[in-house]
Amino acid sequence: MQANYMLEDPLSLDRIRSILTRLEDTIIFSLIERAQFAHNPKIYERGVFKELRDLNFCGSWLEWFLKETESFHAKARRYTSPDEYPFTADLPAPIIPPLKYPAILYPNTVNANPSILSFYTRSIVPRITMRASLALAGVKRSKGITGDDEYEDDGNYGSAATIDIEVLQAISKRVHYGKFVSESKFVQNPAAFIPHIQSGDIDALAALITKPEVERKLLQRLRKKATLYAQDFASDGEPLNNGSKGKIDVDGVVELYEHYIIPLTKEVEVEYLLQRLEGLSAEEIEKLAKR
Ligand SMILES: O=C(O)C(=O)C[C@]1(C(=O)O)C=C[C@@H](O)C=C1
């Protein structure tokens, strides 16, 4: 959570959207970092590393990195914050008492991390690392090394997984902010949502939370930002026009938002709404509807 979040209205939609906008920068920059390395598909497959099997760890290299990193962060109470969601379970307890956060969200069990991990490793990494893998193929071909697999593997398993975690955490935070967006929309007009929550009408809820104009502007802004951040600069700070395609595939970044991040945020928003009345009495719901 932002340090000043207690001072402002935590459910102001403008404030929440400004956090989503700031997270765009974090996501683009971390994708640029990941794109410097080859795909390294080996780090996403379970049981490949003998060294992990020797540690009795049966997950992938990335899963091992997640477990180790999140265990450490959990001790520093990272996951007691309402906008932080770990990818692994059975984490250690914080060694210092949790901060007291005001209860802004309605209690819920919505967690999109399994979907995030799956689309990131299966679709995003291969897409954004294509250039690094192709460059590596050029080097290996010139050295006379053959074999398609080798083109995708630069051996930087630690660096790649470290950045993967940064990207995953940033996407996770962004997607789960959908809960705050949803709560904000719900409290502005509970009566509009309540009948559809009660009938479990997912399409009607999705229609209520969807704002096409906000999405259109977001994608436009994202393309501009990604184009700018992908630009290479000469030592004097002038943009380099050397025919290089830049540090990242801009279309890939826009597609990531269009096809995964925004739809998943909307899914989180709808799932959150579906749980929004759980445990409330008929009288409490009626009172809410009249607000
Ligand atoms: O800003 C909102 O109102 C949101 O719900 C967030 C978001 C997004 O993921 O960026 C999702 C759905 C809307 O159609 C517009 C944008």
Side-chain angles (χ1 to χ4, degrees):
M1 281 268 138
Q2 290 197 321
N4 59 358
Y5 103 120
M6 312 268 280
L7 303 175
E8 299 171 38
D9 171 10
L11 286 178
S12 137
L13 202 46
D14 284 347
R15 191 197 74 91
I16 299 167
R17 284 190 178 138
S18 75
I19 296 172
L20 297 185
T21 305
R22 183 175 54 74
L23 284 168
E24 288 163 11
D25 301 352
T26 315
I27 292 171
I28 300 171
F29 280 119
S30 54
L31 288 172
I32 288 175
E33 288 303 311
R34 181 62 184 86
Q36 307 309 307
F37 298 102
H39 180 181
N40 292 314
K42 214 166 135 171
I43 68 176
Y44 307 109
E45 287 165 36
R46 292 191 171 155
V48 172
F49 285 83
K50 179 186 172 303
E51 295 82 352
L52 294 186
R53 294 199 303 274
D54 290 346
L55 295 173
N56 281 328
F57 187 85
C58 55
S60 67
W61 178 262
L62 176 63
E63 285 168 323
W64 179 62
F65 253 69
L66 277 168
K67 184 77 191 172
E68 292 284 328
T69 308
E70 291 187 340
S71 296
F72 176 53
H73 290 187
K75 288 188 219 170
R77 71 181 175 196
R78 178 171 188 164
Y79 305 108
T80 62
S81 172
D83 59 354
E84 294 280 359
Y85 293 79
F87 285 82
T88 59
D90 303 322
L91 292 168
I95 62 158
I96 43 176
L99 288 173
K100 286 202 170 45
Y101 294 98
I104 296 163
L105 295 178
Y106 195 73
N108 66 91
T109 56
V110 180
N111 187 329
N113 277 351
S115 307
I116 294 172
L117 190 59
S118 165
F119 80 68
Y120 177 72
T121 54
R122 287 183 204 175
S123 306
I124 309 308
V125 181
R127 171 85 196 250
I128 59 159
T129 57
M130 213 148 28
R131 286 178 206 188
S133 295
L134 288 174
L136 190 68
V139 172
K140 293 201 167 169
R141 242 182 243 123
S142 69
K143 285 187 183 162
I145 306 168
T146 52
D148 281 345
D149 287 354
E150 299 208 43
Y151 297 166
E152 301 181 317
D153 188 327
D154 61 7
N156 287 307
Y157 309 138
S159 304
T162 303
I163 302 166
D164 281 338
I165 291 181
E166 281 170 28
V167 185
L168 285 166
Q169 285 170 339
I171 295 178
S172 174
K173 185 181 270 200
R174 196 282 175 199
V175 165
H176 288 103
Y177 250 95
K179 295 186 189 184
F180 291 92
V181 179
S182 216
E183 179 66 20
S184 166
K185 290 175 180 170
F186 176 82
V187 296
Q188 267 173 35
N189 189 4
F193 289 90
I194 288 172
H196 303 306
I197 297 174
Q198 287 174 320
S199 62
D201 190 338
I202 291 174
D203 293 339
L205 291 172
L208 278 177
I209 56 107
T210 296
K211 310 287 168 200
E213 189 51 20
V214 175
E215 290 184 32
R216 196 185 60 77
K217 283 204 182 122
L218 186 162
L219 293 174
Q220 200 178 34
R221 177 175 68 239
L222 192 76
R223 178 171 294 282
K224 286 189 180 161
K225 280 186 184 179
T227 307
L228 188 69
Y229 303 162
Q231 170 82 57
D232 286 315
F233 293 90
S235 53
D236 62 358
E238 285 303 311
L240 265 184
N241 292 312
N242 57 357
S244 134
K245 285 193 169 151
K247 292 193 276 288
I248 193 145
D249 172 3
V250 172
D251 289 335
V253 176
V254 177
E255 278 171 33
L256 163 68
Y257 259 79
E258 193 170 8
H259 298 305
Y260 295 103
I261 294 184
I262 296 175
L264 206 54
T265 306
K266 291 205 266 194
E267 240 177 85
V268 164
E269 288 188 41
V270 170
E271 279 183 40
Y272 174 83
L273 286 168
L274 289 171
Q275 296 186 18
R276 185 57 181 82
L277 303 177
E278 273 177 16
L280 295 184
S281 65
E283 290 75 37
E284 285 170 318
I285 295 173
E286 204 177 314
K287 224 167 111 191
L288 251 182
K290 285 191 186 135
R291 228 167 47 188

